[in-house]
Amino acid sequence: MDTWVVPLDQLGLKDLDAVGGKNSSLGEMISQLASLGVRVPGGFATTADAYRQFLSQDGLAARIKKELNSLDVDDVEALSRTGARIRAWVLEASLPAELEAGIRTEWAKLEAEHGASLAVAVRSSATAEDLPDASFAGQQETLLNVRGIDALLQAIHIVYASLYTDRAISYREHQGFAHDQVALSAGIQRMVRSDLASSGVLFTLDT
């Protein structure tokens, strides 16, 4: 994949490594179900490569690796301090200029189509999700009703930082996943007005 920002309707299950499980599945639903009358809210995603480029700035990836290599995740207080320190670093770092430009371009397209009052969900999609021997579901942030480009850029920072919550760090460590092998894609998806339509959850099997 050549770009760091991709519309959801251009994605599919083939793009799992590029945009993670959630965003590749959303793209698959949009491309495969639209012709059947199933409407899936659109949007766009940042890629795992964009996230890796973000971390490569100013030695951020190396600093994170050094912190995590010396961490005993079973020391709860040390885990809390280290996680908070890494998240602060991520939140303070600037997005690469090319990535921010791509986000602004796609956001402008959404606003042109849906109006300036557009609200989106900003969702995390890790490249390691729902594997046969591990599940990372719910470990990273989702932000709802995000409005405006400034709020969107901040929300993407928060989603990026959430790869280093105490819970996520500890889970990867205990499951044997190398921290620097998991990347994050941010999914930006249009919110649906539940007061004008409906929403819910369906289980197809007795859980």
mmCIF file of all heavy atoms in Angstrom, residues 68-111:
data_model
loop_
_atom_site.group_PDB
_atom_site.id
_atom_site.type_symbol
_atom_site.label_atom_id
_atom_site.label_comp_id
_atom_site.label_asym_id
_atom_site.label_seq_id
_atom_site.Cartn_x
_atom_site.Cartn_y
_atom_site.Cartn_z
ATOM 1 N N LEU A 68 10.565 -0.261 27.807
ATOM 2 C CA LEU A 68 9.863 -1.530 27.960
ATOM 3 C C LEU A 68 10.829 -2.688 28.213
ATOM 4 O O LEU A 68 10.479 -3.643 28.912
ATOM 5 C CB LEU A 68 9.008 -1.808 26.717
ATOM 6 C CG LEU A 68 7.851 -0.819 26.501
ATOM 7 C CD1 LEU A 68 7.112 -1.143 25.218
ATOM 8 C CD2 LEU A 68 6.889 -0.833 27.692
ATOM 9 N N ASN A 69 12.027 -2.601 27.665
ATOM 10 C CA ASN A 69 13.013 -3.676 27.878
ATOM 11 C C ASN A 69 13.431 -3.793 29.332
ATOM 12 O O ASN A 69 13.790 -4.878 29.801
ATOM 13 C CB ASN A 69 14.245 -3.449 26.998
ATOM 14 C CG ASN A 69 14.010 -3.833 25.552
ATOM 15 O OD1 ASN A 69 13.019 -4.488 25.223
ATOM 16 N ND2 ASN A 69 14.910 -3.422 24.677
ATOM 17 N N SER A 70 13.399 -2.682 30.051
ATOM 18 C CA SER A 70 13.825 -2.703 31.449
ATOM 19 C C SER A 70 12.657 -2.811 32.426
ATOM 20 O O SER A 70 12.847 -2.758 33.643
ATOM 21 C CB SER A 70 14.627 -1.435 31.764
ATOM 22 O OG SER A 70 13.825 -0.277 31.575
ATOM 23 N N LEU A 71 11.447 -2.991 31.897
ATOM 24 C CA LEU A 71 10.251 -3.000 32.736
ATOM 25 C C LEU A 71 9.892 -4.404 33.215
ATOM 26 O O LEU A 71 9.872 -5.347 32.432
ATOM 27 C CB LEU A 71 9.065 -2.423 31.946
ATOM 28 C CG LEU A 71 7.689 -2.502 32.620
ATOM 29 C CD1 LEU A 71 7.655 -1.634 33.882
ATOM 30 C CD2 LEU A 71 6.591 -2.096 31.638
ATOM 31 N N ASP A 72 9.585 -4.523 34.486
ATOM 32 C CA ASP A 72 8.978 -5.730 35.051
ATOM 33 C C ASP A 72 7.478 -5.464 35.117
ATOM 34 O O ASP A 72 7.004 -4.720 35.981
ATOM 35 C CB ASP A 72 9.532 -6.003 36.446
ATOM 36 C CG ASP A 72 8.852 -7.188 37.138
ATOM 37 O OD1 ASP A 72 8.010 -7.854 36.494
ATOM 38 O OD2 ASP A 72 9.158 -7.438 38.327
ATOM 39 N N VAL A 73 6.723 -6.072 34.193
ATOM 40 C CA VAL A 73 5.287 -5.759 34.105
ATOM 41 C C VAL A 73 4.504 -6.250 35.318
ATOM 42 O O VAL A 73 3.358 -5.833 35.528
ATOM 43 C CB VAL A 73 4.659 -6.341 32.817
ATOM 44 C CG1 VAL A 73 5.250 -5.701 31.580
ATOM 45 C CG2 VAL A 73 4.794 -7.852 32.765
ATOM 46 N N ASP A 74 5.091 -7.139 36.105
ATOM 47 C CA ASP A 74 4.398 -7.602 37.313
ATOM 48 C C ASP A 74 4.570 -6.627 38.475
ATOM 49 O O ASP A 74 3.928 -6.787 39.515
ATOM 50 C CB ASP A 74 4.915 -8.986 37.706
ATOM 51 C CG ASP A 74 4.539 -10.041 36.667
ATOM 52 O OD1 ASP A 74 3.418 -9.949 36.135
ATOM 53 O OD2 ASP A 74 5.369 -10.917 36.383
ATOM 54 N N ASP A 75 5.431 -5.623 38.299
ATOM 55 C CA ASP A 75 5.556 -4.537 39.262
ATOM 56 C C ASP A 75 4.535 -3.475 38.858
ATOM 57 O O ASP A 75 4.782 -2.675 37.948
ATOM 58 C CB ASP A 75 6.983 -3.973 39.238
ATOM 59 C CG ASP A 75 7.205 -2.864 40.256
ATOM 60 O OD1 ASP A 75 6.222 -2.230 40.675
ATOM 61 O OD2 ASP A 75 8.372 -2.631 40.607
ATOM 62 N N VAL A 76 3.399 -3.475 39.517
ATOM 63 C CA VAL A 76 2.267 -2.655 39.079
ATOM 64 C C VAL A 76 2.606 -1.169 39.096
ATOM 65 O O VAL A 76 2.214 -0.421 38.185
ATOM 66 C CB VAL A 76 1.033 -2.941 39.959
ATOM 67 C CG1 VAL A 76 -0.127 -2.029 39.560
ATOM 68 C CG2 VAL A 76 0.608 -4.392 39.827
ATOM 69 N N GLU A 77 3.331 -0.729 40.086
ATOM 70 C CA GLU A 77 3.670 0.692 40.171
ATOM 71 C C GLU A 77 4.635 1.094 39.050
ATOM 72 O O GLU A 77 4.475 2.154 38.435
ATOM 73 C CB GLU A 77 4.279 1.013 41.539
ATOM 74 C CG GLU A 77 3.266 0.891 42.679
ATOM 75 C CD GLU A 77 3.865 1.310 44.007
ATOM 76 O OE1 GLU A 77 5.063 1.638 44.042
ATOM 77 O OE2 GLU A 77 3.120 1.304 45.007
ATOM 78 N N ALA A 78 5.609 0.248 38.773
ATOM 79 C CA ALA A 78 6.537 0.525 37.683
ATOM 80 C C ALA A 78 5.808 0.508 36.340
ATOM 81 O O ALA A 78 6.071 1.347 35.460
ATOM 82 C CB ALA A 78 7.670 -0.493 37.683
ATOM 83 N N LEU A 79 4.892 -0.422 36.172
ATOM 84 C CA LEU A 79 4.096 -0.503 34.945
ATOM 85 C C LEU A 79 3.298 0.780 34.751
ATOM 86 O O LEU A 79 3.241 1.332 33.643
ATOM 87 C CB LEU A 79 3.165 -1.709 35.010
ATOM 88 C CG LEU A 79 2.151 -1.870 33.874
ATOM 89 C CD1 LEU A 79 2.858 -2.037 32.535
ATOM 90 C CD2 LEU A 79 1.232 -3.067 34.143
ATOM 91 N N SER A 80 2.689 1.268 35.820
ATOM 92 C CA SER A 80 1.893 2.489 35.736
ATOM 93 C C SER A 80 2.749 3.687 35.356
ATOM 94 O O SER A 80 2.364 4.494 34.497
ATOM 95 C CB SER A 80 1.201 2.749 37.081
ATOM 96 O OG SER A 80 0.447 3.937 37.038
ATOM 97 N N ARG A 81 3.929 3.811 35.965
ATOM 98 C CA ARG A 81 4.820 4.940 35.656
ATOM 99 C C ARG A 81 5.319 4.878 34.218
ATOM 100 O O ARG A 81 5.334 5.877 33.499
ATOM 101 C CB ARG A 81 6.013 4.945 36.619
ATOM 102 C CG ARG A 81 5.690 5.337 38.047
ATOM 103 C CD ARG A 81 6.971 5.625 38.826
ATOM 104 N NE ARG A 81 7.867 4.472 38.841
ATOM 105 C CZ ARG A 81 7.864 3.527 39.775
ATOM 106 N NH1 ARG A 81 6.983 3.578 40.764
ATOM 107 N NH2 ARG A 81 8.737 2.521 39.730
ATOM 108 N N THR A 82 5.726 3.686 33.797
ATOM 109 C CA THR A 82 6.269 3.525 32.446
ATOM 110 C C THR A 82 5.203 3.768 31.395
ATOM 111 O O THR A 82 5.445 4.469 30.393
ATOM 112 C CB THR A 82 6.869 2.118 32.280
ATOM 113 O OG1 THR A 82 7.951 1.961 33.210
ATOM 114 C CG2 THR A 82 7.374 1.898 30.864
ATOM 115 N N GLY A 83 4.023 3.204 31.590
ATOM 116 C CA GLY A 83 2.941 3.414 30.636
ATOM 117 C C GLY A 83 2.576 4.883 30.498
ATOM 118 O O GLY A 83 2.399 5.395 29.383
ATOM 119 N N ALA A 84 2.479 5.578 31.619
ATOM 120 C CA ALA A 84 2.135 7.000 31.593
ATOM 121 C C ALA A 84 3.212 7.811 30.869
ATOM 122 O O ALA A 84 2.907 8.737 30.102
ATOM 123 C CB ALA A 84 1.949 7.517 33.016
ATOM 124 N N ARG A 85 4.478 7.463 31.104
ATOM 125 C CA ARG A 85 5.583 8.178 30.468
ATOM 126 C C ARG A 85 5.545 7.990 28.948
ATOM 127 O O ARG A 85 5.681 8.958 28.185
ATOM 128 C CB ARG A 85 6.914 7.677 31.029
ATOM 129 C CG ARG A 85 8.125 8.464 30.543
ATOM 130 C CD ARG A 85 9.402 7.938 31.186
ATOM 131 N NE ARG A 85 9.354 8.024 32.633
ATOM 132 C CZ ARG A 85 9.423 6.978 33.460
ATOM 133 N NH1 ARG A 85 9.557 5.753 32.992
ATOM 134 N NH2 ARG A 85 9.379 7.158 34.764
ATOM 135 N N ILE A 86 5.337 6.759 28.505
ATOM 136 C CA ILE A 86 5.318 6.486 27.067
ATOM 137 C C ILE A 86 4.120 7.163 26.407
ATOM 138 O O ILE A 86 4.246 7.777 25.339
ATOM 139 C CB ILE A 86 5.289 4.966 26.809
ATOM 140 C CG1 ILE A 86 6.612 4.330 27.250
ATOM 141 C CG2 ILE A 86 5.023 4.676 25.330
ATOM 142 C CD1 ILE A 86 6.615 2.821 27.188
ATOM 143 N N ARG A 87 2.955 7.105 27.032
ATOM 144 C CA ARG A 87 1.765 7.745 26.458
ATOM 145 C C ARG A 87 1.969 9.251 26.338
ATOM 146 O O ARG A 87 1.539 9.870 25.357
ATOM 147 C CB ARG A 87 0.526 7.414 27.292
ATOM 148 C CG ARG A 87 0.121 5.948 27.211
ATOM 149 C CD ARG A 87 -1.272 5.708 27.790
ATOM 150 N NE ARG A 87 -1.376 6.070 29.200
ATOM 151 C CZ ARG A 87 -1.052 5.265 30.213
ATOM 152 N NH1 ARG A 87 -0.570 4.047 29.973
ATOM 153 N NH2 ARG A 87 -1.215 5.654 31.472
ATOM 154 N N ALA A 88 2.626 9.846 27.321
ATOM 155 C CA ALA A 88 2.906 11.287 27.252
ATOM 156 C C ALA A 88 3.816 11.597 26.075
ATOM 157 O O ALA A 88 3.618 12.594 25.364
ATOM 158 C CB ALA A 88 3.532 11.759 28.563
ATOM 159 N N TRP A 89 4.830 10.764 25.855
ATOM 160 C CA TRP A 89 5.719 10.970 24.707
ATOM 161 C C TRP A 89 4.939 10.936 23.398
ATOM 162 O O TRP A 89 5.146 11.759 22.517
ATOM 163 C CB TRP A 89 6.790 9.887 24.670
ATOM 164 C CG TRP A 89 7.827 9.979 25.742
ATOM 165 C CD1 TRP A 89 8.098 11.048 26.536
ATOM 166 C CD2 TRP A 89 8.734 8.930 26.122
ATOM 167 N NE1 TRP A 89 9.126 10.739 27.403
ATOM 168 C CE2 TRP A 89 9.540 9.461 27.175
ATOM 169 C CE3 TRP A 89 8.946 7.633 25.699
ATOM 170 C CZ2 TRP A 89 10.532 8.699 27.781
ATOM 171 C CZ3 TRP A 89 9.938 6.879 26.302
ATOM 172 C CH2 TRP A 89 10.728 7.414 27.342
ATOM 173 N N VAL A 90 4.044 9.958 23.275
ATOM 174 C CA VAL A 90 3.267 9.805 22.042
ATOM 175 C C VAL A 90 2.358 11.008 21.831
ATOM 176 O O VAL A 90 2.237 11.538 20.715
ATOM 177 C CB VAL A 90 2.457 8.495 22.068
ATOM 178 C CG1 VAL A 90 1.509 8.410 20.870
ATOM 179 C CG2 VAL A 90 3.390 7.288 22.092
ATOM 180 N N LEU A 91 1.712 11.465 22.900
ATOM 181 C CA LEU A 91 0.789 12.592 22.786
ATOM 182 C C LEU A 91 1.516 13.889 22.430
ATOM 183 O O LEU A 91 0.951 14.767 21.779
ATOM 184 C CB LEU A 91 0.016 12.774 24.097
ATOM 185 C CG LEU A 91 -0.993 11.671 24.420
ATOM 186 C CD1 LEU A 91 -1.547 11.853 25.825
ATOM 187 C CD2 LEU A 91 -2.130 11.646 23.403
ATOM 188 N N GLU A 92 2.773 14.008 22.867
ATOM 189 C CA GLU A 92 3.541 15.225 22.602
ATOM 190 C C GLU A 92 4.152 15.246 21.199
ATOM 191 O O GLU A 92 4.482 16.326 20.687
ATOM 192 C CB GLU A 92 4.657 15.356 23.635
ATOM 193 C CG GLU A 92 4.161 15.658 25.040
ATOM 194 C CD GLU A 92 5.247 15.462 26.084
ATOM 195 O OE1 GLU A 92 6.388 15.103 25.694
ATOM 196 O OE2 GLU A 92 4.961 15.640 27.279
ATOM 197 N N ALA A 93 4.308 14.094 20.583
ATOM 198 C CA ALA A 93 4.974 14.014 19.283
ATOM 199 C C ALA A 93 4.057 14.540 18.169
ATOM 200 O O ALA A 93 2.843 14.360 18.210
ATOM 201 C CB ALA A 93 5.378 12.574 18.982
ATOM 202 N N SER A 94 4.652 15.183 17.188
ATOM 203 C CA SER A 94 3.895 15.696 16.046
ATOM 204 C C SER A 94 3.652 14.583 15.031
ATOM 205 O O SER A 94 4.491 13.686 14.858
ATOM 206 C CB SER A 94 4.663 16.830 15.361
ATOM 207 O OG SER A 94 4.857 17.909 16.243
ATOM 208 N N LEU A 95 2.524 14.633 14.364
ATOM 209 C CA LEU A 95 2.283 13.721 13.261
ATOM 210 C C LEU A 95 3.184 14.106 12.093
ATOM 211 O O LEU A 95 3.415 15.296 11.855
ATOM 212 C CB LEU A 95 0.825 13.781 12.811
ATOM 213 C CG LEU A 95 -0.238 13.321 13.808
ATOM 214 C CD1 LEU A 95 -1.628 13.564 13.230
ATOM 215 C CD2 LEU A 95 -0.062 11.857 14.175
ATOM 216 N N PRO A 96 3.721 13.136 11.342
ATOM 217 C CA PRO A 96 4.494 13.476 10.137
ATOM 218 C C PRO A 96 3.661 14.362 9.204
ATOM 219 O O PRO A 96 2.443 14.181 9.084
ATOM 220 C CB PRO A 96 4.771 12.106 9.509
ATOM 221 C CG PRO A 96 4.700 11.142 10.648
ATOM 222 C CD PRO A 96 3.650 11.687 11.566
ATOM 223 N N ALA A 97 4.312 15.321 8.573
ATOM 224 C CA ALA A 97 3.604 16.298 7.736
ATOM 225 C C ALA A 97 2.769 15.617 6.647
ATOM 226 O O ALA A 97 1.628 16.017 6.381
ATOM 227 C CB ALA A 97 4.606 17.261 7.109
ATOM 228 N N GLU A 98 3.318 14.576 6.034
ATOM 229 C CA GLU A 98 2.587 13.886 4.960
ATOM 230 C C GLU A 98 1.344 13.193 5.499
ATOM 231 O O GLU A 98 0.294 13.181 4.855
ATOM 232 C CB GLU A 98 3.510 12.861 4.290
ATOM 233 C CG GLU A 98 2.854 12.130 3.120
ATOM 234 C CD GLU A 98 3.788 11.115 2.477
ATOM 235 O OE1 GLU A 98 5.016 11.185 2.703
ATOM 236 O OE2 GLU A 98 3.278 10.240 1.759
ATOM 237 N N LEU A 99 1.460 12.617 6.701
ATOM 238 C CA LEU A 99 0.308 11.959 7.314
ATOM 239 C C LEU A 99 -0.768 12.979 7.652
ATOM 240 O O LEU A 99 -1.949 12.769 7.342
ATOM 241 C CB LEU A 99 0.752 11.204 8.569
ATOM 242 C CG LEU A 99 -0.365 10.598 9.428
ATOM 243 C CD1 LEU A 99 -1.222 9.637 8.626
ATOM 244 C CD2 LEU A 99 0.240 9.913 10.655
ATOM 245 N N GLU A 100 -0.383 14.082 8.280
ATOM 246 C CA GLU A 100 -1.381 15.103 8.628
ATOM 247 C C GLU A 100 -2.055 15.656 7.381
ATOM 248 O O GLU A 100 -3.275 15.886 7.370
ATOM 249 C CB GLU A 100 -0.741 16.230 9.436
ATOM 250 C CG GLU A 100 -1.750 17.284 9.849
ATOM 251 C CD GLU A 100 -1.208 18.320 10.814
ATOM 252 O OE1 GLU A 100 -0.254 18.000 11.567
ATOM 253 O OE2 GLU A 100 -1.751 19.447 10.826
ATOM 254 N N ALA A 101 -1.275 15.860 6.319
ATOM 255 C CA ALA A 101 -1.861 16.368 5.073
ATOM 256 C C ALA A 101 -2.886 15.392 4.512
ATOM 257 O O ALA A 101 -3.955 15.796 4.037
ATOM 258 C CB ALA A 101 -0.755 16.628 4.052
ATOM 259 N N GLY A 102 -2.573 14.096 4.568
ATOM 260 C CA GLY A 102 -3.513 13.087 4.088
ATOM 261 C C GLY A 102 -4.789 13.049 4.908
ATOM 262 O O GLY A 102 -5.898 12.908 4.363
ATOM 263 N N ILE A 103 -4.656 13.176 6.224
ATOM 264 C CA ILE A 103 -5.825 13.204 7.107
ATOM 265 C C ILE A 103 -6.693 14.420 6.786
ATOM 266 O O ILE A 103 -7.922 14.315 6.686
ATOM 267 C CB ILE A 103 -5.371 13.226 8.583
ATOM 268 C CG1 ILE A 103 -4.699 11.899 8.949
ATOM 269 C CG2 ILE A 103 -6.562 13.505 9.508
ATOM 270 C CD1 ILE A 103 -3.970 11.927 10.286
ATOM 271 N N ARG A 104 -6.055 15.573 6.623
ATOM 272 C CA ARG A 104 -6.816 16.789 6.316
ATOM 273 C C ARG A 104 -7.547 16.675 4.977
ATOM 274 O O ARG A 104 -8.696 17.124 4.845
ATOM 275 C CB ARG A 104 -5.875 18.001 6.301
ATOM 276 C CG ARG A 104 -5.386 18.414 7.693
ATOM 277 C CD ARG A 104 -4.468 19.630 7.636
ATOM 278 N NE ARG A 104 -4.022 20.036 8.956
ATOM 279 C CZ ARG A 104 -4.709 20.827 9.783
ATOM 280 N NH1 ARG A 104 -5.878 21.315 9.386
ATOM 281 N NH2 ARG A 104 -4.228 21.148 10.971
ATOM 282 N N THR A 105 -6.912 16.043 3.997
ATOM 283 C CA THR A 105 -7.542 15.877 2.693
ATOM 284 C C THR A 105 -8.781 15.000 2.782
ATOM 285 O O THR A 105 -9.854 15.340 2.251
ATOM 286 C CB THR A 105 -6.542 15.270 1.689
ATOM 287 O OG1 THR A 105 -5.463 16.182 1.482
ATOM 288 C CG2 THR A 105 -7.220 14.982 0.351
ATOM 289 N N GLU A 106 -8.654 13.853 3.451
ATOM 290 C CA GLU A 106 -9.791 12.939 3.571
ATOM 291 C C GLU A 106 -10.895 13.545 4.435
ATOM 292 O O GLU A 106 -12.088 13.337 4.170
ATOM 293 C CB GLU A 106 -9.343 11.600 4.144
ATOM 294 C CG GLU A 106 -8.478 10.781 3.191
ATOM 295 C CD GLU A 106 -9.187 10.461 1.886
ATOM 296 O OE1 GLU A 106 -10.417 10.216 1.913
ATOM 297 O OE2 GLU A 106 -8.520 10.469 0.839
ATOM 298 N N TRP A 107 -10.510 14.296 5.470
ATOM 299 C CA TRP A 107 -11.516 14.944 6.315
ATOM 300 C C TRP A 107 -12.303 15.978 5.510
ATOM 301 O O TRP A 107 -13.534 16.070 5.642
ATOM 302 C CB TRP A 107 -10.846 15.605 7.516
ATOM 303 C CG TRP A 107 -11.823 16.319 8.402
ATOM 304 C CD1 TRP A 107 -12.021 17.667 8.495
ATOM 305 C CD2 TRP A 107 -12.763 15.711 9.300
ATOM 306 N NE1 TRP A 107 -13.025 17.944 9.399
ATOM 307 C CE2 TRP A 107 -13.498 16.757 9.908
ATOM 308 C CE3 TRP A 107 -13.043 14.396 9.646
ATOM 309 C CZ2 TRP A 107 -14.494 16.522 10.848
ATOM 310 C CZ3 TRP A 107 -14.044 14.157 10.587
ATOM 311 C CH2 TRP A 107 -14.759 15.205 11.175
ATOM 312 N N ALA A 108 -11.611 16.732 4.672
ATOM 313 C CA ALA A 108 -12.288 17.722 3.836
ATOM 314 C C ALA A 108 -13.301 17.060 2.906
ATOM 315 O O ALA A 108 -14.394 17.594 2.668
ATOM 316 C CB ALA A 108 -11.261 18.521 3.033
ATOM 317 N N LYS A 109 -12.965 15.878 2.394
ATOM 318 C CA LYS A 109 -13.898 15.146 1.531
ATOM 319 C C LYS A 109 -15.141 14.729 2.308
ATOM 320 O O LYS A 109 -16.269 14.834 1.807
ATOM 321 C CB LYS A 109 -13.216 13.909 0.942
ATOM 322 C CG LYS A 109 -12.111 14.207 -0.057
ATOM 323 C CD LYS A 109 -11.455 12.913 -0.534
ATOM 324 C CE LYS A 109 -10.292 13.163 -1.460
ATOM 325 N NZ LYS A 109 -9.624 11.888 -1.858
ATOM 326 N N LEU A 110 -14.943 14.257 3.546
ATOM 327 C CA LEU A 110 -16.094 13.857 4.364
ATOM 328 C C LEU A 110 -16.977 15.056 4.683
ATOM 329 O O LEU A 110 -18.207 14.967 4.628
ATOM 330 C CB LEU A 110 -15.612 13.203 5.662
ATOM 331 C CG LEU A 110 -15.115 11.760 5.593
ATOM 332 C CD1 LEU A 110 -14.693 11.286 6.986
ATOM 333 C CD2 LEU A 110 -16.193 10.828 5.027
ATOM 334 N N GLU A 111 -16.344 16.179 5.041
ATOM 335 C CA GLU A 111 -17.124 17.382 5.346
ATOM 336 C C GLU A 111 -17.886 17.876 4.118
ATOM 337 O O GLU A 111 -19.028 18.327 4.233
ATOM 338 C CB GLU A 111 -16.202 18.490 5.861
ATOM 339 C CG GLU A 111 -15.854 18.361 7.330
ATOM 340 C CD GLU A 111 -15.269 19.646 7.876
ATOM 341 O OE1 GLU A 111 -14.557 20.347 7.134
ATOM 342 O OE2 GLU A 111 -15.510 19.941 9.062
#
